Amino acid sequence: MEGRIKAHPILEFRRGKRVKFYFEDREIEAYEGETVAAALQANGIRVLRYTPNTKRPAGLFCAIGKCSSCLMKIDGVPNVRSCMTKVREGMHVRRQNGRGDVL
Amino acid sequence: MKSYETIVVGGGPAGMMAAITLGSKGVKTLILDENDELGGQLVKQTHKFFGDHAHYASVRGFEIAQKLQEKIFQDTNIEVETSATVIGIYPNKMVVYAKNGKEFKATYEKLLISTGAMEKQLPFINSDLPGVYGAGAVQTLMNEYGVMPGRRFLIIGSGNIGLILAYQLIQAGAEVRGIVEALGKIGGYAVHAKKIKRLGVPIFLKHTIVRAIGNESVLGAVIAKVDNNFNIIPGTEVEKVADTICVSVGLTPLSELAEQAGCKVEYIPQLGGYVPVRNERMQTSNPDVFIAGDLSSIEEATTAMIEGKIAALEMSRNFIKIAANKKNIENEINDEIKTLALFRSGPKSAKIRTGLEKFGINIKHVPKIESYGVQIGPTGKLRAIVDCTEEIPCNSCEAACSFGAIHIGENLNSTPVVDYDKCTGCATCVTACPGLAIHMLKEDLENSTALVGIPYELLPLPEKGQKMWALDEDGNYVCDSIVKRVVKYPNKTNIVYIEVPIEFSRKVLSVSFPKKESPFVCRCEEITLDKIERVVDSGITDFEELKRLTRVTMGPCGGKNCKLVVLGILSRKTGVPISKLSHGTSRPPVKPVEFSLFMKGSDPT
Ligand SMILES: Cc1cc2nc3c(=O)[nH]c(=O)nc-3n(C[C@H](O)[C@H](O)[C@H](O)COP(=O)(O)OP(=O)(O)OC[C@H]3O[C@@H](n4cnc5c(N)ncnc54)[C@H](O)[C@@H]3O)c2cc1C
Ligand code: SF4
Ligand code: SF4
Ligand code: FES
C-alpha cells in the first residue's frame, strides 16, 4: 500500500514524464511535477534531515511549505523546503544534518 | 513594476470567487498564489461538498476548483500568477512576491488577502518523529500526488477534516486504525462520522495521544483516556499499532500578511486564533485592505466564496462611476450578506456567531421547519431513507430530487423531510448526498426479504450475484447478502443494491466484501460467526442453549447488537423464520452500567 496509488475510486492521477534523481547517491524514480518530498515518500523514505541540537530525525509535516520540517540539501544548497521543490532530472538530494551550513 | 486596480493574494475558493466577481465588474485584477495551480484547499478534496446548490454543493472539491479556474481564465480582466509567494506588503500599496527565485513588485488600489489557514500542531512525546503528519500533508500526498504515505493510520482529532481524511484514506486503500478525540463528542458533522463508522473505524472519545512510538519512524502510538480537564488518567494507556499518525486538531488563520498590510489583528479563539478585525463587508481597519475565507474565520469553502464575493463587490464600488450601477452593487452585497447569515444560522455555526459578535456582526436565527427524525416511509415501496437529523448547512438532496419529494426550505440548516407520496424511488438523492446519508429500501413481504441500496465509493465495485457481508452502523457484521444490482453514476457515487432477510431491513447500512477471518458476531464476548456456526452444526438449535454454550449476547451490551444477528444465523441454518425462534429473555440491566455501580454496597472506602 505504501508507495503510489494505482487505482482510486474518484481520482485519476495524471503523472508526468519519468525522471531520475539521486537521494544520498541512491537513484530514485519519480514523475515530473512531483515534489522531492512526495517522490521520497513514494519510495518509503521518511527521514529528511537530522535536527541541529538533538540530532533527532525529522520528516514531512505540512507538505505545503509552512513548517520547515522538511529542509534538505538540494544540489548543494542547504535549507531547501523539499515539499515545495519539484524534482528535476539528475538532481542530488541529501539529508540535512544540523543547520546545514555550507562548510 | 506593474500596477493593478486590485490584487488578490491567495487563490483558494475565497480569492478565486473574489477575482471572478472583480473581473465581471470590469476591475483589472491580479491574483497571486503560491501553488502551481489555483484552488487552495479545494484541490485536495475528493469528497462532494456540502452547502447550497448555488455554491457548488454536491460537487467534489477538486471539481469546484476546476470550474472556478475556467471562469478565471476566460476573463481578460484577470491576470493570474501561480507559483508566486507573496513575501511582503508595504505601506505604499505595494505587494512583493517571489517567483522562480526572482522578486517581483506590483501595486494596487484595493487589496484582498485570502491566504487561508495553517494546521495547528499538537505537542506530545515524539510528535516530531517522521511519520507524524498534519492531516493536510497526507491529503496533499495522497490526493495531489497519488502517493500513499503509510499503511495503517491513526488520526488525532474528530473534526470534519479528521473524519474526511479517514474516509479518503480508506478510499485510497489504506487502513484506519481509529480516530482519537479528547472531547466527549465528535467534533465534525454526524453524517461524516457515520460514513466512517459504517466502514468499521472506531472513534475513541475522551482519549488523547500520549506518545508516538519509534526511533527513526512511527511504529505505533500510546493513547490514553482523559478526564474532563483533558488530563491523562493514569493506568488507561494502551498501545495502538500504526505506521502513520495524522494530526488534525484544527486550523489557525495565516494573518501575517494582513498585519504587514497594517490591519489590526485580534485574538478571537472562536474564529480560529489571531484574525484581522473587519466589518460585515470584509473591510479591515485599513480601508484599502479586505480579507475573506479561512483568514477571517475558519469555516467552509461556501462561506469563503460568499465572503470573497462580498469583499470584491465592496472593493469594486471604488471603480464604478455610474450611480445606477453603484446602486445595483449595493443590492448585490445585501443579498450576499443575507445568504451568508442563513448559512451561519445553524447550531454548527454557534462558535462563529459568538466570534463575529465581537466585531459587532450579529446573525439572526431564521425560523426552521420541524424535523421528523429519520422517516421510515411506507413498507414495501422502493424509497429513499434519509438519515440526516443534525442541522447542517446543506440542501443537496432537495435540489437533486426532481419530483419535489424532499423539502428543506429557505434555511438550508433545516433537516430534510421526505414526502413519500412523491418519492418515485429514482435514487438520485442517494448519489447526490455529500454525507452519504441516504439509502434506498424496499421490503418484499412475500419472500421475507428486503432490498437495500447503499451508496458506494470504494474499489473494487461489487458485481451482481456476488455474496457480500451486510454491516450495521458500526461496521459490524449483520448477515450475508446477495448483490442484486449495481448502478454506476457519473459522479462516482455508485449504488449497490443487496438483498437481506427482512428482519435486517433497518439494521443494514453498509456492505463489504467477505473477509478471510470470520467476522465477530458478538464483539463483547469476541465470538465469531464461525464459532456459532460450528455450535449450530453440532446440533444445538435452541437459542438459550446456544447462549449458554458460547456466551453470545451475554456481554455488556446485553445482546443489543448481536441478538438479532445470532437469530439470523440460526434461522438460516435451521430454515425456521426468525419470528418463530424463541429469542431468550432480556435481563437487567438493559443499558451497560459501570461495574462499580453494583459494587457500591460493598465499597470499602
Ligand atoms: C479536509 C477538509 C475538508 C473540507 N471539507 C469542506 C466541505 O465539505 N465543505 C466546505 O464548504 N468546506 C470544506 N473545507 C473547508 C474549505 O476547504 C476551506 O474553508 C476553504 O478552502 C477556505 O478557503 P480560502 O480561500 O480562505 O483558503 P484556502 O483554500 O486555504 O486558500 C488559500 C490560498 O492562499 C495561498 N497562499 C497562502 N499564503 C500565500 C502567500 N504568502 N502567497 C501566495 N499565496 C498564498 C495558498 O497557497 C492557498 O492556495 C474542508 C477543508 C479541509 C481541510
Ligand atoms: S429517491 Fe428520487 S424521488 Fe425519492 S426522494 Fe430521492 S430523488 Fe426524490
Ligand atoms: S441528506 Fe440532504 S441535507 Fe443531509 S447531508 Fe445529505 S444532501 Fe445534505
Ligand atoms: S513539510 Fe512543512 S515546509 Fe515542507
Side-chain angles (χ1 to χ4, degrees):
Chain A
M1 200 51 55
E2 205 166 351
R4 292 182 198 281
I5 302 167
K6 290 189 186 72
H8 194 282
I10 311 294
L11 296 171
E12 275 165 46
F13 298 106
R14 297 156 279 149
R15 295 198 167 99
K17 227 173 61 203
R18 267 173 189 273
V19 291
K20 278 190 198 125
F21 70 97
Y22 300 92
F23 166 71
E24 300 287 340
D25 299 323
R26 178 181 140 192
E27 204 175 276
I28 301 281
E29 288 242 346
Y31 293 96
E32 216 171 62
E34 263 175 4
T35 61
V36 170
L40 291 177
Q41 198 56 241
N43 287 277
I45 296 157
R46 280 183 162 181
V47 180
L48 305 180
R49 68 175 174 123
Y50 291 94
T51 59
N53 298 327
T54 51
K55 312 282 173 228
R56 287 168 68 87
L60 209 62
F61 183 78
C62 73
I64 48 164
K66 304 274 186 246
C67 74
S68 296
S69 177
C70 64
L71 299 181
M72 298 187 83
K73 196 165 171 179
I74 297 184
D75 284 335
V77 183
N79 296 321
V80 181
R81 293 174 302 176
S82 59
C83 73
M84 295 300 280
T85 310
K86 297 274 148 92
V87 292
R88 289 184 305 270
E89 181 73 40
M91 80 197 313
H92 282 269
V93 176
R94 289 190 176 278
R95 283 194 179 117
Q96 178 158 318
N97 276 304
R99 255 174 256 290
D101 315 293
V102 205
L103 292 177
Chain B
M1 185 166 58
K2 278 190 139 184
S3 299
Y4 299 87
E5 287 178 321
T6 62
I7 295 181
V8 175
V9 179
M16 289 172 98
M17 191 50 111
I20 292 168
T21 310
L22 287 165
S24 73
K25 300 288 173 209
V27 181
K28 295 276 174 231
T29 300
L30 169 68
I31 179 166
L32 294 161
D33 198 285
E34 186 167 31
N35 291 320
D36 51 5
E37 188 187 353
L38 291 178
Q41 289 289 340
L42 294 176
V43 233
K44 290 181 235 175
Q45 305 308 334
T46 53
H47 64 288
K48 288 175 290 188
F49 272 46
F50 286 103
D52 175 23
H53 255 254
H55 295 93
Y56 305 102
S58 190
V59 180
R60 295 186 191 278
F62 67 98
E63 289 166 339
I64 303 178
Q66 286 162 5
K67 285 178 198 278
L68 295 175
Q69 278 173 20
E70 277 165 30
K71 287 197 179 173
I72 286 184
F73 290 122
Q74 276 162 14
D75 192 327
T76 50
N77 288 319
I78 310 171
E79 220 173 284
V80 180
E81 278 275 49
T82 47
S83 306
T85 307
V86 174
I87 48 178
I89 293 169
Y90 294 99
N92 52 345
K93 298 193 174 183
M94 187 172 72
V95 170
V96 180
Y97 62 94
K99 186 177 162 120
N100 302 328
K102 284 198 213 83
E103 214 179 88
F104 295 87
K105 290 177 183 142
T107 60
Y108 60 83
E109 286 174 53
K110 299 280 173 197
L111 175 72
L112 176 76
I113 309 177
S114 47
T115 42
M118 71 179 267
E119 293 184 276
K120 287 183 191 160
Q121 302 212 9
L122 180 74
F124 54 88
I125 302 165
N126 288 339
S127 62
D128 59 341
L129 200 61
V132 178
Y133 301 112
V138 174
Q139 290 194 323
T140 304
L141 290 170
M142 178 169 71
N143 296 340
E144 274 191 72
Y145 299 110
V147 169
M148 187 46 107
R151 238 183 275 257
R152 295 195 183 97
F153 290 75
L154 188 69
I155 296 174
I156 317 299
S158 74
N160 275 334
I161 296 181
L163 298 174
I164 289 167
L165 179 66
Y167 187 70
Q168 293 180 347
L169 281 165
I170 294 170
Q171 283 188 308
E175 200 183 317
V176 180
R177 283 302 172 92
I179 300 184
V180 177
E181 169 60 59
L183 294 172
K185 64 177 191 348
I186 292 163
Y189 292 166
V191 286
H192 279 320
K194 286 181 182 176
K195 212 185 312 190
I196 57 162
K197 279 200 196 161
R198 289 198 291 267
L199 295 170
V201 176
I203 301 179
F204 307 109
L205 296 177
K206 294 197 144 228
H207 273 76
T208 192
I209 180 164
V210 182
R211 63 187 300 152
I213 304 169
N215 291 321
E216 291 268 298
S217 177
V218 172
L219 298 170
V222 176
I223 69 167
K225 277 195 185 146
V226 292
D227 62 20
N228 291 339
N229 299 317
F230 304 113
N231 295 315
I232 290 162
I233 303 173
T236 61
E237 296 89 351
V238 283
E239 275 186 28
K240 295 276 163 199
V241 177
D243 57 26
T244 313
I245 297 169
C246 305
V247 181
S248 61
V249 291
L251 304 171
T252 188
L254 280 167
S255 56
E256 290 78 8
L257 285 178
E259 272 181 86
Q260 278 189 30
C263 309
K264 202 173 135 211
V265 167
E266 247 178 62
Y267 183 73
I268 301 190
Q270 292 90 346
L271 301 182
Y274 285 97
V275 289
V277 176
R278 45 88 171 188
N279 63 19
E280 203 172 24
R281 299 183 171 207
M282 310 314 297
Q283 191 173 34
T284 67
S285 60
N286 177 345
D288 295 322
V289 181
F290 293 73
I291 55 164
D294 277 357
L295 170 61
S296 70
S297 51
I298 304 297
E299 267 181 285
E300 307 230 326
T302 330
T303 46
M305 283 188 265
I306 303 175
E307 283 187 350
K309 197 164 175 185
I310 293 173
L313 287 169
E314 183 65 21
M315 288 159 82
S316 72
R317 278 178 1 130
N318 194 54
F319 306 99
I320 287 164
K321 303 285 170 286
I322 306 160
N325 292 353
K326 271 200 172 169
K327 183 99 201 330
N328 284 344
I329 285 187
E330 189 58 29
N331 291 339
E332 271 187 73
I333 294 175
N334 286 327
D335 282 351
E336 293 299 330
I337 289 177
K338 257 188 231 147
T339 315
L340 195 53
L342 266 180
F343 247 95
R344 289 175 172 156
S345 67
K348 287 277 166 183
S349 300
K351 247 169 66 182
I352 298 291
R353 289 197 298 268
T354 314
L356 290 177
E357 274 165 24
K358 305 213 165 125
F359 293 149
I361 301 169
N362 293 303
I363 288 157
K364 282 197 271 322
H365 286 258
V366 182
K368 283 186 294 273
I369 53 170
E370 198 181 333
S371 167
Y372 293 86
V374 183
Q375 301 161 264
I376 311 301
T379 307
K381 174 177 175 165
L382 178 66
R383 63 204 189 273
I385 304 290
V386 184
D387 183 4
C388 178
T389 53
E390 186 182 50
E391 289 169 22
I392 54 171
C394 178
N395 63 6
S396 302
C397 50
E398 180 185 47
C401 179
S402 43
F403 301 96
I406 303 184
H407 181 68
I408 286 180
E410 190 204 355
N411 188 344
L412 75 175
N413 284 288
S414 307
T415 55
V417 178
V418 188
D419 179 347
Y420 283 106
D421 289 338
K422 291 188 184 153
C423 176
T424 61
C426 73
T428 311
C429 56
V430 177
T431 159
C433 170
L436 301 190
I438 310 181
H439 71 271
M440 299 302 294
L441 179 64
K442 180 187 194 310
E443 300 86 348
D444 179 345
L445 294 170
E446 218 163 280
N447 294 308
S448 294
T449 58
L451 187 70
V452 186
I454 293 165
Y456 198 84
E457 295 183 328
L458 304 177
L459 284 180
L461 195 61
E463 282 168 25
K464 187 176 167 179
Q466 242 167 351
K467 192 175 127 183
M468 303 284 286
W469 285 357
L471 312 176
D472 70 4
E473 57 184 356
D474 295 315
N476 290 322
Y477 171 87
V478 174
C479 59
D480 287 345
S481 71
I482 299 287
V483 178
K484 286 287 169 187
R485 199 149 66 95
V486 177
V487 187
K488 286 199 192 181
Y489 289 88
N491 75 352
K492 296 184 179 165
T493 303
N494 304 316
I495 305 180
V496 176
Y497 288 87
I498 55 169
E499 189 180 84
V500 298
I502 198 162
E503 288 80 4
F504 301 121
S505 63
R506 296 288 303 127
K507 210 172 165 62
V508 171
L509 290 167
S510 179
V511 61
S512 87
F513 284 94
K515 297 199 178 73
K516 270 199 227 84
E517 329 78 77
S518 188
F520 281 116
V521 166
C522 171
R523 268 184 202 272
C524 310
E525 297 289 319
E526 295 178 58
I527 301 159
T528 60
L529 172 66
D530 215 33
K531 182 160 179 194
I532 291 174
E533 285 185 331
R534 265 184 285 134
V535 176
V536 178
D537 286 343
S538 75
I540 311 293
T541 52
D542 179 64
F543 183 69
E544 286 299 317
E545 192 73 18
L546 193 66
K547 250 169 85 172
R548 267 195 296 281
L549 281 168
T550 60
R551 293 195 51 79
V552 74
T553 76
M554 290 166 79
C557 84
K560 230 179 18 261
N561 293 323
C562 54
K563 192 190 276 171
L564 200 57
V565 178
V566 176
L567 287 169
I569 301 164
L570 214 50
S571 162
R572 173 161 53 84
K573 287 268 174 192
T574 59
V576 182
I578 293 181
S579 51
K580 296 260 163 57
L581 286 165
S582 132
H583 53 84
T585 31
S586 314
R587 293 189 184 84
V590 178
K591 290 240 170 86
V593 215
E594 293 274 284
F595 194 61
S596 59
L597 216 71
F598 293 105
M599 303 289 286
K600 278 276 154 70
S602 57
D603 204 334
T605 51

